[in-house]
DNA sequence: GAAGATTATTACTGATCGGTAATTTTTAAT
DNA sequence: ATTAAAAATTACCGATCAGTAATAATCTTC
């Protein structure tokens, strides 16, 4: 029996800084009711990386970030500014 | 007098790897008739970074990448996979 | 095919990433 | 308030990032 259902229809979000990204990842992870450790299992990374990602560390390595986003079921789109 | 006009209506592109990103940056830069050096001027970075970015180096630092994209007039969107 | 512009490579180097694993702090639930 | 789970911090450290600047390679254009 389904008690409640979470439909995450959050709007696509514009990411300008690593902080923006961190906040988004955290919000999304929580909306999926996942723990950081859940993610560690999937990605080949230590706890430190996830913590730093969610904290918005600016120097994280690009591909690792892309990998985690992908694992979370998120996709990255790049477009001209102001494209509707 | 305007001889020709370039309307860059390239579709938003899905970025899964640093290579995807590199290719996109290069294509876009060229569509804007910019040289790598034009970008160096704007961003606070050396030529090496731009070369490596366009070559898809996976370990580039996140914030630097975001900065360059912003300077180029591109925006990064993150959304749930399959969002239309 | 020469010259100039653009892009790529290299060596050098200080700064820092991030895995690991242990410890501490914070949060949540009863 | 206790207690457990979750998140954050720390120290250690090998690997590597990226600026600089010089050189080399490649691409254009005449």
């Amino acid at each position: 029996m389904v008690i409640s259902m979470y439909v995450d229809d959050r709007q696509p979000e514009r990411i300008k800084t690593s902080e923006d990204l961190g906040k988004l990842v955290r919000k999304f992870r929580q909306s999926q009711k996942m723990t950081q450790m859940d993610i560690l299992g999937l990605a080949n990374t230590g706890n430190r990386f996830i913590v730093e990602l969610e904290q918005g560390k600016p120097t994280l390595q690009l591909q690792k970030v892309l990998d985690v986003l992908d694992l979370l079921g998120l996709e990255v789109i790049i477009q001209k500014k102001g494209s509707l």
Side-chain angles (χ1 to χ4, degrees), chain A:
Chain A
M1 197 209 357
V2 174
I3 303 288
S4 67
M5 187 160 66
Y6 292 86
V7 178
D8 181 27
D9 59 334
R10 184 179 288 95
Q11 298 280 65
E13 269 186 62
R14 200 169 269 104
I15 300 299
K16 221 168 168 176
T17 67
S18 45
E19 250 192 77
D20 294 342
L21 182 66
K23 285 181 191 154
L24 179 144
V25 167
R26 165 155 296 179
K27 275 196 307 181
F28 185 77
R29 173 177 64 78
Q30 291 174 338
S31 81
Q32 305 297 107
K33 305 238 185 285
M34 292 176 139
T35 71
Q36 291 180 346
M37 293 214 347
D38 291 334
I39 300 180
L40 300 194
L42 301 177
N44 57 340
T45 177
N47 73 316
R48 187 165 153 174
F49 184 78
I50 301 296
V51 169
E52 291 179 337
L53 170 58
E54 293 192 353
Q55 287 175 346
K57 186 175 190 182
T59 54
L60 297 178
Q61 296 186 355
L62 176 63
Q63 188 62 65
K64 272 188 218 300
V65 173
L66 293 178
D67 288 345
V68 169
L69 293 177
D70 190 47
L71 284 168
L72 286 173
L74 296 171
E75 62 187 11
V76 177
I77 305 284
I78 297 190
Q79 60 187 20
K80 271 187 89 169
K81 271 183 200 167
S83 302
L84 258 220

